[in-house]
Amino acid sequence: MTKLRIENVLRGEDECVHHIRDIWTSFIDAKTKYVRHVDEKNCDCYLISDANWAIRGKTLSCQEMGIRIRPGDICYIDYGQAYLNEIGFQHFGLVIRIYQQKAFVVPMTSNEVQYNSAYDPINNPSGKRHLMRLGWLPRYES
């Protein structure tokens, strides 16, 4: 890069700067339109998740934030945005294993509707197969 081009970039007069500015403006416009269409039920969760991503995006592990987890811990986790049939936003999860500073987690829900629609080979063989019942703990059985 020549000294003249560097000076042009710093003054905002380089075509590269204009191109990046156009891309950024398009991204912000698209994001604004998307946020306006997030349903009211998920709006708070979406904004919290987006803020978490912005704040923690360069964090390599929870240890950098002073949080220590172990297998067996139940944590409140931000799963981020979800595709269809995936858990998203903030839910509890059971930590199964830690491998290379990453947690293998089984998402959990207390949503009775989801639990009742989940696949179970005995009690609900026609249930949704992307959901799985782990069963009730003995002290919670009625």
Side-chain angles (χ1 to χ4, degrees):
M1 193 177 248
T2 67
K3 188 174 181 181
L4 178 62
R5 182 146 189 220
I6 292 171
E7 289 173 10
N8 287 342
V9 167
L10 293 174
R11 283 194 308 268
E13 297 173 2
D14 188 83
E15 70 274 357
C16 179
V17 171
H18 295 293
H19 180 68
I20 291 170
R21 191 176 295 137
D22 291 344
I23 291 171
W24 182 250
T25 302
S26 296
F27 169 76
I28 294 299
D29 289 346
K31 190 85 164 173
T32 302
K33 287 176 189 171
Y34 174 77
V35 169
R36 285 189 178 129
H37 289 93
V38 172
D39 63 335
E40 194 171 318
K41 179 182 141 198
N42 288 318
C43 192
D44 290 346
C45 295
Y46 172 82
L47 293 172
I48 290 167
S49 188
D50 214 36
N52 285 339
W53 178 84
I55 293 165
R56 303 173 185 164
K58 297 194 188 284
T59 305
L60 293 175
S61 73
C62 61
Q63 291 178 1
E64 286 184 19
M65 298 185 300
I67 300 169
R68 306 246 184 261
I69 60 172
R70 298 180 312 253
D73 288 351
I74 295 176
C75 302
Y76 195 60
I77 300 167
D78 189 340
Y79 293 93
Q81 293 183 44
Y83 289 100
L84 190 62
N85 296 333
E86 288 184 346
I87 198 161
F89 303 126
Q90 302 84 34
H91 291 279
F92 286 99
L94 173 63
V95 178
I96 302 297
R97 182 165 186 213
I98 307 293
Y99 181 73
Q100 295 184 354
Q101 297 183 330
K102 302 295 180 203
F104 175 65
V105 176
V106 175
M108 302 166 64
T109 185
S110 59
N111 183 321
E112 196 170 337
V113 172
Q114 294 291 3
Y115 182 82
N116 289 331
S117 67
Y119 171 77
D120 184 281
I122 297 167
N123 298 320
N124 195 14
S126 61
K128 295 179 180 177
R129 292 197 175 248
H130 72 279
L131 302 174
M132 189 169 91
R133 293 181 183 178
L134 296 178
W136 293 98
L137 296 174
R139 67 176 178 243
Y140 294 112
E141 290 181 357
S142 46

